Amino acid sequence: MFSAFIDLIFPRICTACLEPLQRNEEIICTDCRFDLPKTNLHLETENTLAHKFFGEVQLKHTLSYLKFVKGGKVQRLMHELKYKGNQEVGEMLGRWYGAELRESGFADAFDLIIPVPLHQKRLLLRGYNQSDCFAKGLSESLNIEWRNDILIRETETSSQVNKSRLERYQNMDKVFTVKNPELLRNKKIVVVDDTLTTGATLESCVLSLQAFEIKDISILTLAMA
């Protein structure tokens, strides 16, 4: 009764549609959960996203959970995760996607999850890395390790927003370094990020990691433009 009273005075709102949540719902309402615009790339035999990286880097899997549409539900979710401190959004979506991947035969596809890191200055300013949140949720559902102490962003780059494709690639050139490379040996690595646009950031990460003795490498994002 007390919980119902609190919800009446301070209603909990769905992060995606901004409608009140029901008592058994958390963060995202049931309607929005089943209405999210999924890419279903993990179900495709010929993965269209892989074409973006052909001739650039060699990837085992190229996956993304949701389609990013300006002004849509996914944009609101991403805004909550990146700018409103709502880390549970990333963790929950990671758990959901991890469960879908596991059910679709990806349970043994990866040995180690590595989130795209933030530069230390930006990390201190924001207080957390949104890609860490997503990685944590994936790790819980897939039951595999995630680590944020291997791939390091040494160079502080300017925002990728409003940059051309070429400018994005130039902005990300030689930004990342690898520490503890022995932890990568003969592992199936998956690099995870929040949003994929041109793929410049992920490509830079992959190039840094594949210089070491990994078995194979994949990329996975929460959303793709």
Side-chain angles (χ1 to χ4, degrees):
M1 290 179 63
F2 179 74
S3 177
F5 175 74
I6 293 297
D7 284 347
L8 181 64
I9 303 302
F10 303 105
R12 299 176 304 121
I13 302 299
C14 171
T15 307
C17 69
L18 308 182
E19 294 294 325
L21 291 167
Q22 301 301 312
R23 290 184 62 185
N24 62 334
E25 296 174 336
E26 295 292 336
I27 301 177
I28 301 173
C29 70
T30 303
D31 287 343
C32 283
R33 176 174 183 177
F34 290 101
D35 192 42
L36 288 174
K38 300 178 182 179
T39 69
N40 290 321
L41 289 173
H42 60 290
L43 303 177
E44 293 184 7
T45 304
E46 293 293 330
N47 188 319
T48 54
L49 179 59
H51 298 168
K52 184 183 289 287
F53 298 93
F54 280 175
E56 305 295 336
V57 290
Q58 186 173 359
L59 299 170
K60 182 70 173 180
H61 301 289
T62 50
L63 304 169
S64 190
Y65 185 28
L66 303 172
K67 300 174 184 177
F68 183 97
V69 179
K70 192 171 182 179
K73 293 180 179 180
V74 175
Q75 184 178 30
R76 285 195 288 272
L77 291 172
M78 301 301 293
H79 189 80
E80 280 284 324
L81 171 61
K82 292 183 70 171
Y83 305 115
K84 294 294 187 69
N86 197 339
Q87 299 179 56
E88 180 59 25
V89 168
E91 293 181 25
M92 177 176 285
L93 292 172
R95 289 193 294 270
W96 288 354
Y97 194 35
E100 289 189 25
L101 291 173
R102 187 182 64 245
E103 293 168 5
S104 299
F106 283 80
D108 299 318
F110 317 117
D111 298 319
L112 179 63
I113 300 170
I114 297 181
V116 172
L118 292 178
H119 188 268
Q120 189 63 26
K121 286 184 179 179
R122 188 169 297 180
L123 182 61
L124 289 172
L125 183 65
R126 183 173 294 169
Y128 63 96
N129 179 2
Q130 68 274 7
S131 295
D132 283 357
C133 304
F134 187 45
K136 181 179 179 181
L138 287 167
S139 173
E140 290 178 15
S141 287
L142 291 169
N143 194 31
I144 59 177
E145 183 182 19
W146 75 278
R147 298 189 67 124
N148 60 5
D149 60 347
I150 295 177
L151 190 63
I152 308 297
R153 188 185 292 248
E154 296 283 8
T155 305
E156 185 179 15
T157 56
S158 57
S159 173
Q160 295 280 71
V161 177
N162 297 323
K163 281 184 169 59
S164 68
R165 182 180 179 86
L166 177 59
E167 288 171 336
R168 286 172 182 251
Y169 277 92
Q170 291 172 335
N171 193 43
M172 298 308 301
D173 185 39
K174 299 178 182 178
V175 168
F176 302 99
T177 60
V178 174
K179 294 188 176 181
N180 306 310
E182 68 278 1
L183 299 175
L184 301 173
R185 188 169 296 120
N186 204 33
K187 294 284 183 68
K188 294 176 286 187
I189 308 297
V190 58
V191 182
V192 305
D193 202 3
D194 56 345
T195 310
L196 188 150
T197 48
T198 64
T201 301
L202 284 162
E203 183 175 316
S204 183
C205 291
V206 170
L207 288 171
S208 298
L209 292 164
Q210 70 179 11
F212 300 92
E213 299 177 32
I214 60 175
K215 185 172 185 179
D216 58 53
I217 192 162
S218 303
I219 60 168
L220 187 158
T221 66
L222 176 50
M224 60 179 287

